[in-house]
C-alpha cells in the first residue's frame, strides 16, 4: 500500500500499561531479537505518511530508547493508573487533527501487515464508520476511530471504556473485520514464551 494516499490516518500505539501479569514492561519484551515496541513500529511504518504516536508511561527512559531511529513520536500518560482508557484519551489528543486514528496495543506479537491493511482498506471505503477487529459479536483493538467519535472517547474511563463505547454504537456506524493476528496478545510469561516459539517474520 502507498502510505501517501492516507495522510489523514494517524497510527497510535498504546504502550503505557503496568504489565503486572507479565512482570516486565510489555514494550521491552523481546521476540525474535526485537522488542515488541520496535517490532510494532517497524510493522506500522509503511502504513502511514505521518509519524507513529506511542503512548508511554512517565519517565520511561528505556522504552523511549527503543524509538531512536524510528519514525515515531512519544507522549506520556501520567494518568495510566486510571486504566487503559486514559491511554486512549492521550493518544487521541496527540492525533486530534487527523481524520481518523488507528489504535492498537503493543503486545500483539503475531500481528501482520496484511491484518492492518485489511482494516485500513475497510476504513478507506467507509471513513465515518468505526472499523474494529471482530471478537465474536463485539469489536475491539486494533481499530480505527473516525474524528466524529473523538469527543465521546474523551469521556471513557477504566479498562473497558473503549469497548463499551464501541459496543453501544448502532450497527450502521460499526464495521467488524476478522484480524487473525490480533487473537493472541501477551499478558503472562507463558504467553511471551509461546510468542517466542511461534512468531514468524512480519
Amino acid at each position: 500500500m502507498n502510505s501517501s494516499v492516507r495522510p489523514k490516518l494517524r497510527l497510535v500505539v498504546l504502550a503505557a500499561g503496568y504489565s503486572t501479569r507479565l512482570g516486565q514492561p510489555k514494550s521491552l519484551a523481546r521476540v525474535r531479537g526485537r522488542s515488541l515496541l520496535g517490532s510494532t513500529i517497524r510493522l506500522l511504518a509503511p502504513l502511514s505518511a505521518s509519524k507513529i504516536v506511542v503512548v508511554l508511561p512517565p519517565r520511561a527512559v528505556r522504552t523511549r530508547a527503543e524509538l531512536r531511529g524510528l519514525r515515531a513520536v512519544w507522549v506520556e500518560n501520567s494518568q495510566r493508573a486510571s486504566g487503559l482508557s486514559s491511554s486512549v484519551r492521550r493518544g487521541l489528543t496527540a492525533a486530534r487533527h487527523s481524520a481518523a486514528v488507528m489504535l492498537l496495543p503493543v503486545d500483539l506479537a503475531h500481528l501482520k501487515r496484511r491484518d492492518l491493511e485489511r482494516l485500513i482498506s475497510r476504513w478507506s471505503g467507509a471513513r465515518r464508520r468505526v472499523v474494529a477487529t471482530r471478537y465474536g459479536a463485539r469489536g475491539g483493538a486494533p481499530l480505527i476511530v473516525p474524528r466524529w467519535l473523538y469527543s465521546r472517547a474523551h469521556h471513557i474511563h477504566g479498562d473497558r471504556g473503549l469497548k463499551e463505547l464501541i459496543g453501544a454504537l448502532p450497527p450502521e456506524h460499526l464495521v467488524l473485520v476478522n484480524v487473525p493476528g490480533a487473537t493472541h496478545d501477551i499478558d503472562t510469561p507463558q504467553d511471551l514464551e509461546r510468542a517466542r516459539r511461534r512468531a514468524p517474520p512480519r
Side-chain angles (χ1 to χ4, degrees), residues 64-169:
R64 295 202 303 262
E66 293 291 326
L67 298 176
R68 289 174 186 160
L70 300 178
R71 198 159 55 83
V73 295
W74 54 268
V75 295
E76 293 185 349
N77 178 10
S78 60
Q79 299 179 338
R80 64 180 184 141
S82 63
L84 178 61
S85 293
S86 62
S87 288
V88 172
R89 296 195 304 269
R90 189 69 182 90
L92 290 177
T93 297
R96 62 189 177 276
H97 299 301
S98 59
V101 169
M102 176 187 282
L103 297 163
L104 69 160
V106 74
D107 63 348
L108 300 177
H110 301 303
L111 201 63
K112 296 181 176 60
R113 189 166 298 152
R114 64 175 176 266
D115 292 324
L116 299 175
E117 288 175 342
R118 187 177 296 117
L119 287 169
I120 293 171
S121 178
R122 294 299 299 273
W123 169 74
S124 295
R127 296 197 177 196
R128 286 189 56 80
R129 295 186 181 184
V130 174
V131 180
T133 298
R134 182 189 302 275
Y135 295 96
R138 300 176 66 86
L143 79 165
I144 298 175
V145 178
R147 181 185 288 166
W148 65 265
L149 201 60
Y150 293 179
S151 59
R152 293 193 204 178
H154 277 293
H155 297 287
I156 62 176
H157 297 283
D159 285 325
R160 294 188 52 82
L162 186 60
K163 289 183 179 179
E164 292 171 355
L165 176 64
I166 299 306
L169 291 174

Side-chain angles (χ1 to χ4, degrees), residues 16-38:
Y18 283 95
S19 308
T20 304
R21 295 172 62 195
L22 184 61
Q24 62 174 302
K26 290 183 181 182
S27 55
L28 297 177
R30 306 192 83 79
V31 176
R32 298 182 66 88
R34 284 182 175 168
S35 69
L36 288 177
L37 179 57

Side-chain angles (χ1 to χ4, degrees), residues 32-64:
R32 298 182 66 88
R34 284 182 175 168
S35 69
L36 288 177
L37 179 57
S39 293
T40 300
I41 299 303
R42 288 177 174 87
L43 177 71
L44 294 175
L47 300 178
S48 176
S50 302
K51 287 187 176 181
I52 298 152
V53 176
V54 184
V55 183
L56 297 177
R59 301 176 297 280
V61 177
R62 289 178 57 205
T63 309
R64 295 202 303 262

